[in-house]
Amino acid sequence: MISPGSSYVSLGSSFAAGPGIKPQLDKAASRSGRNYPHLVAEALDLDLTDVTYSGATTANILSEPQGDAPAQVDAVGPDTELVTVTVGGNDLDYIGIFLRGSTMNTLARPVGLFSKRLGNRIMARVSYLREQAEYDAVADRLVEIVNRIRASAPRSRILLVDYLTVAGPTTRPRLDVPLNEEQLPSVVMMAEGLAQAFANAAARSGAELVAASAASLDHGVGSAEPWTTGFGFRPGGGVGYHPNEAGMAAVADLVIQQLRTAD
């Protein structure tokens, strides 16, 4: 187990930052004081440097500034003992596509018989498939992030924490999310490809994997106990298709369990 007082740096995008979850400590980054890094640091009494930033890509971790924030990996130093990484979804425009498709379908919501037929045709035209090379590229960049962390903090433990499930096996098209029977499965396939990219990167780099995606399969939108929000803004509880407070707490528990199990 990481010792109390150890230096912990959290890197990542919105699924780590916690947009919409109160309190928001950094409005530009949409970073919550109750995101999983803060919950882990609180539980284990760690010295947290949280540079997670909503909208971040792997490039923002490695080299590109985001707003006034420098590349996130710059926060890692020789005394860093724990690093968590949750990033890659924005490289694929995963949640962005989910939101735009839901918005389009909501705006095209049918009124009357003719509009219903037209709206259904509009909904049926779009799917969100990605080439395997795009997932491989995410895995490559995650490996590069791990290597950069090791170069700066050779003794650190590095955990790749993948994305909570948004659309699970029980999520219903048109009912739980405003996507149709073609769109929803293709979004699920994107999530599966992203999870596999994390698994591949962990295997190649030797980083530890926290498979939040697998642990949350029964907690998608429309489930009895969702760990992510549905479509639209939820004041105090996250933004659309993002972790809610229960989801952040669950990911924190998974990280703590991983640290204890690996020990």
Side-chain angles (χ1 to χ4, degrees), residues 17-27 30-36 38-39 42 229 233-239 243-246 248-249:
I21 300 175
K22 295 181 179 179
Q24 289 286 294
L25 303 182
D26 186 318
K27 290 184 179 180
S30 294
R31 185 186 305 131
S32 172
R34 301 300 292 172
N35 61 14
Y36 84 73
H38 278 83
L39 298 177
E42 180 182 297
T229 60
F233 184 75
R234 305 294 192 279
V239 298
N244 58 24
E245 291 186 52
M248 283 297 184

Side-chain angles (χ1 to χ4, degrees), residues 2 55 74 94 115 143-144 151 171 175 179-180 216 223 230 233 235 237 246 255:
I2 299 292
D74 293 350
Y94 164 43
S115 296
V143 171
E144 185 178 356
T171 303
L175 297 175
L179 297 181
N180 66 21
S216 58
S223 66
F233 184 75
V255 170

Side-chain angles (χ1 to χ4, degrees), residues 5-260:
S6 297
S7 173
Y8 165 29
V9 175
S10 177
L11 313 177
S13 60
S14 57
F15 269 56
I21 300 175
K22 295 181 179 179
Q24 289 286 294
L25 303 182
D26 186 318
K27 290 184 179 180
S30 294
R31 185 186 305 131
S32 172
R34 301 300 292 172
N35 61 14
Y36 84 73
H38 278 83
L39 298 177
V40 169
E42 180 182 297
L44 301 181
D45 192 21
L46 303 179
D47 181 13
L48 173 65
T49 300
D50 184 2
V51 292
T52 59
Y53 205 112
S54 295
T57 66
T58 53
N60 297 127
I61 307 294
L62 290 166
S63 60
E64 294 182 7
Q66 194 173 6
D68 294 329
Q72 292 184 28
V73 77
D74 293 350
V76 178
D79 296 330
T80 302
E81 297 183 51
L82 172 65
V83 183
T84 55
V85 181
T86 302
V87 74
N90 290 320
D91 293 52
L92 300 167
D93 198 22
Y94 164 43
I95 297 299
I97 280 176
F98 206 164
L99 287 168
R100 287 195 300 277
S102 296
T103 300
M104 181 192 75
N105 291 348
T106 299
L107 293 175
R109 184 164 287 165
V111 178
L113 181 60
F114 175 77
S115 296
K116 182 175 182 179
R117 291 172 179 169
L118 177 62
N120 284 344
R121 287 204 301 272
I122 292 173
M123 291 180 73
R125 289 176 183 169
V126 182
S127 66
Y128 310 119
L129 301 179
R130 285 285 184 262
E131 299 293 335
Q132 183 59 45
E134 296 179 77
Y135 298 109
D136 293 342
V138 171
D140 290 343
R141 288 190 287 268
L142 287 171
V143 171
E144 185 178 356
I145 289 168
V146 172
N147 291 339
R148 286 283 299 279
I149 293 168
R150 283 214 180 98
S152 297
R155 299 190 306 273
S156 64
R157 289 182 66 173
I158 305 169
L159 276 59
L160 297 181
V161 184
D162 75 2
Y163 285 60
L164 283 171
T165 295
V166 178
T170 62
T171 303
R172 299 167 299 177
R174 302 177 189 265
L175 297 175
D176 297 323
V177 295
L179 297 181
N180 66 21
E181 293 79 3
E182 176 187 1
Q183 294 165 328
L184 184 58
S186 60
V187 169
V188 170
M189 289 176 65
M190 284 187 66
E192 292 171 347
L194 181 59
Q196 189 60 53
F198 269 80
N200 292 344
R204 289 167 51 194
S205 67
E208 300 174 49
L209 176 66
V210 177
S213 57
S216 58
L217 279 176
D218 293 331
H219 296 276
V221 175
S223 66
E225 297 180 355
W227 288 352
T228 55
T229 60
F231 179 57
F233 184 75
R234 305 294 192 279
V239 298
Y241 302 145
H242 276 77
N244 58 24
E245 291 186 52
M248 283 297 184
V251 176
D253 288 344
L254 291 170
V255 170
I256 293 168
Q257 180 182 357
Q258 174 65 25
L259 292 172
R260 290 173 174 162

